[in-house]
């Protein structure tokens, strides 16, 4: 308890100077100008200074400086919230106490993950690699008006690179502790009207040791492959047809179970792929723009459960699997009329989920229409934004035969930005969000192999929330800082309940979550005219209330304090170095590792993880390319820690790589 209190005081003390100076909507490491263009909050290009919600932008420099290979590892080091990370490439993220859905239908997620502005089809962010990512835009808080169900705690939009300039090629080879081996290639550039950016990577890893020195058997994987392509043809100055393809495949990923009952041979295969066809256009005066998109993909996980090592007592020798096929379309247009910009559009989404477990097949179809408006007053210093979205859903449990049900939702938002001057921005935002009931929750009507009758409840309301927030941002003279407060009221949580020997679903829960967010970054090199960059940074989230209003107790699996802080150093040419500390606060959990039922409540967390990365150019052949050495140490302090109790993460690991850029 003393360690936790000390850590909280230390974090608060570090951010006090930035609070006194006002604040910034930047990512935790870089000095992002308020003029930087982002797309996530309004579904069209706008500068950060016009966004009324709390916004983080993780740029290409920060992604390159991170030791992370996938978005899950990257976000785990940001201090955004209580990330749940397991061995075996499985990570769900937490924003303001809400989490993404790492298995199954991402319509049921509470944090929405996007890939280039549309649903990624998964909440498992370990399936999204960083090799071809240009930036990640994060809305903290509701985004249902823009994107529909699941965007309650926040929206994470992963944006892939787009080729420009002279063609370039990059090859990297990395080796590391516990048999880690990775090979990666990337091509990018533009020729005439054709642009291209693509990457491929393959990695493999053996079982690892924990921080306590214990070998965690079956925690490695045979290989993980990732492909990413973003290519397009520009046929007028403002019109482009683009094709995007992304594929992730993990083969024989260890599924070790709890380390206390280590299963030696369970594994899973994990896959996610998608393809997009996009048309972007704009009028010559740029007052009117439009976009149309078609996309489809599949997310699938298969678990292999041989009986040879049955430490957990659950294996039955039969493979289990879960698969979601998704198709979708988006069409929108934006127009400037005087001081007003209006963006309106429609979204269509079709999901087909299949599983080896009941329900074996379910179908979802979602039609939505939205309108987003922005108006500028007082010489563009006062910016008012608003939005409205209507979603209608049709769901059906197909196998075993169930019912067909319909539901709908209306969500709204309202925001205000006041630009005090070029350096200071005041913002306030109100947003509504919802989680649509699942097909089984609305339409199930079948008897399981265990003789239990599952009956959907057609009267269910969507889970819903209302969030109020306000903040102040500051950016000038190499200093960026941000301070914001928020309050969320959540109701109509959907839970499975017993009805005699049968089961159904009801709206049974409500909660309140409130707190503040702060970030600060100081580019000392810019402030003092140095020839190199020295940038300390801090990002933290503190929850002063996270209460289950029915049980009158703190919500489980939520930490009151999460933080990341460190320093980035660069000579702008051949050398860069980053030292990052990530703190995860304590949280109340249900200890299922105990084997007791019901599981006893315990505490977990209260640890700090440090990572060190560096890159040094060693040979420069000018037009013929350059070589650079890369190195990283993850878990620098060799902490014995776990994001999920019973699943400890690796101890200290060393990596060395050689990069060739042409």
């Amino acid at each position: 308890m003393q360690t936790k209190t000390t850590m909280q005081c230390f974090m608060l003390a570090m951010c006090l100077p930035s609070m006194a100076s006002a604040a910034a909507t930047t990512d935790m490491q870089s000095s992002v100008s308020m003029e930087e263009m982002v797309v996530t909050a309004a579904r069209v290009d706008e500068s950060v200074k016009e966004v009324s919600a709390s916004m983080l932008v993780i740029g290409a420099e920060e992604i390159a400086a991170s030791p992370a290979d996938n978005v899950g590892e990257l976000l785990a080091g940001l201090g955004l919230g209580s990330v749940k990370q397991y061995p075996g490439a499985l990570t769900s993220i937490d924003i303001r106490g809400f989490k993404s859905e790492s298995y199954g239908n991402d319509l049921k997620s509470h944090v929405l993950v996007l890939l280039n502005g549309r649903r990624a089809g998964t909440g498992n962010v370990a399936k999204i690699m960083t090799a071809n990512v240009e930036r990640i835009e994060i809305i903290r808080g509701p985004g249902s008006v823009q994107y529909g169900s699941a965007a309650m705690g926040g929206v994470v939009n992963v944006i892939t690179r787009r080729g420009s300039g002279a063609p370039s090629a990059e090859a990297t080879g990395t080796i590391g502790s516990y048999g880690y081996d990775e090979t990666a290639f990337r091509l990018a550039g533009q020729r005439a009207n054709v642009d291209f950016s693509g990457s491929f990577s393959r990695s493999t890893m053996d079982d690892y040791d924990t921080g306590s020195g214990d070998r965690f058997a079956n925690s490695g994987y045979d290989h993980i492959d990732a492909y990413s392509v973003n290519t397009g043809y520009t046929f007028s100055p403002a019109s482009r047809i683009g094709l995007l393809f992304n594929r992730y495949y993990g083969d024989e990923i260890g599924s070790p179970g709890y380390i206390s009952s280590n299963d030696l041979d369970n594994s899973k295969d994990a896959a996610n792929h998608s393809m997009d066809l996009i048309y972007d256009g704009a009028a010559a005066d740029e007052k009117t723009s439009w976009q149309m998109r078609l996309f489809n993909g599949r997310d699938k996980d298969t678990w292999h459960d041989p009986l040879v090592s049955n430490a957990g007592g659950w294996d039955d020798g039969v493979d289990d699997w879960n698969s979601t096929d998704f198709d979708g379309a988006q069409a929108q247009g934006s127009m400037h009329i005087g001081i007003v910009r209006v963006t309106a559009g429609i979204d269509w989404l079709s999901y087909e989920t299949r599983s080896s477990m009941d329900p074996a097949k379910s179908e979802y179809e979602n039609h939505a229409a939205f309108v987003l408006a922005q108006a500028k007053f007082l010489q563009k210093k006062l910016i008012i934004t608003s939005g409205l979205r209507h979603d209608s859903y049709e769901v059906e449990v197909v196998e075993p035969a169930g019912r067909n049900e319909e539901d709908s939702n209306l969500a709204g938002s309202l925001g205000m930005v006041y630009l005090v001057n070029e350096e200071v921005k005041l913002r306030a935002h109100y947003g509504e969000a919802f989680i649509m009931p699942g097909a089984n929750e609305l339409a199930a009507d079948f008897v399981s192999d265990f003789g239990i009758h599952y009956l959907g409840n057609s009267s269910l309301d969507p889970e819903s929330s209302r969030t109020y927030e306000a903040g102040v941002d500051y950016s000038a003279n190499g200093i960026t800082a941000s301070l914001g407060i928020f309050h969320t009221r959540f109701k109509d949580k959907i839970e499975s309940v017993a009805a005699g020997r049968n089961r159904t679903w009801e709206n049974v829960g409500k909660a309140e979550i409130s707190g503040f967010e702060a970030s600060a970054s100081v580019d000392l090199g810019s402030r003092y005219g140095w020839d190199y960059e020295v940038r300390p940074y801090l990002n933290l989230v503190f929850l002063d209330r996270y209460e289950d209003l029915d049980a009158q107790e703190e919500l489980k699996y939520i930490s009151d304090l999460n933080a990341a802080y460190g320093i980035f150093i660069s000579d702008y040419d051949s050398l860069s170095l980053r030292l990052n500390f990530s703190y995860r606060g304590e949280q109340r959990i249900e200890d299922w590792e105990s084997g007791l039922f019901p599981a006893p409540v315990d505490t977990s967390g209260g640890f700090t993880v440090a990572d060190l990365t560096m890159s040094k150019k060693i040979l420069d052949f000018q037009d013929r390319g350059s070589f650079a050495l890369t190195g990283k140490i993850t878990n620098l302090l060799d902490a014995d820690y776990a994001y999920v109790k019973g699943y400890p993460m690796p101890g200290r690991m060393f990596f060395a790589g050689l990069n060739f850029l042409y």
Side-chain angles (χ1 to χ4, degrees), residues 18 21 23-24 31 423 474-481 520-523 526-527:
S18 64
S21 325
S31 301
E423 302 172 350
Y474 175 82
S475 179
N477 301 318
I479 301 175
T480 62
S521 174
V522 182
D523 186 349
S526 173
R527 284 183 60 83

Side-chain angles (χ1 to χ4, degrees), residues 28-29 60-69 73-74 174 537 566-570 574-581 610-616 629-636 653-657:
M28 70 172 187
Q29 298 167 27
E61 182 184 36
E62 287 65 50
I63 295 171
S66 168
D69 293 322
E73 294 174 347
L74 178 68
T174 304
Y537 59 84
I567 190 167
F568 178 79
I569 300 173
S570 171
S574 64
L575 174 67
S576 67
L577 184 146
R578 172 187 180 261
L579 177 62
N580 184 73
F581 297 88
D611 298 310
L612 177 67
T613 59
M614 64 83 63
S615 176
K616 171 64 177 176
L629 287 176
T630 61
K632 59 184 179 181
I633 306 174
T634 59
N635 194 2
L636 179 66
M653 294 181 65
F654 298 88
F655 301 85

Side-chain angles (χ1 to χ4, degrees), residues 105 107 351 362-366 392-398 402-407 436-444 457-458:
N105 186 346
L107 290 168
Y351 273 36
S362 300
E363 294 179 351
Y364 298 73
E365 188 160 3
N366 170 213
S392 61
Y393 282 79
E394 183 177 356
V395 301
E396 181 179 4
V397 174
V398 181
R403 307 192 311 270
N404 183 286
E405 298 288 349
E406 297 180 358
D407 205 347
M436 187 58 58
N440 58 331
E441 296 165 345
L442 279 174
N457 180 359
S458 60

Side-chain angles (χ1 to χ4, degrees), residues 51 71 90 115 149 173-174 182 268 283 285 342 368 406 440 449 455 520 560:
V51 179
V71 172
L90 177 61
L115 189 58
S149 181
T174 304
E182 181 185 22
K268 73 172 182 180
D285 60 5
V342 178
E406 297 180 358
N440 58 331
D449 294 338
L455 184 64
D560 59 354

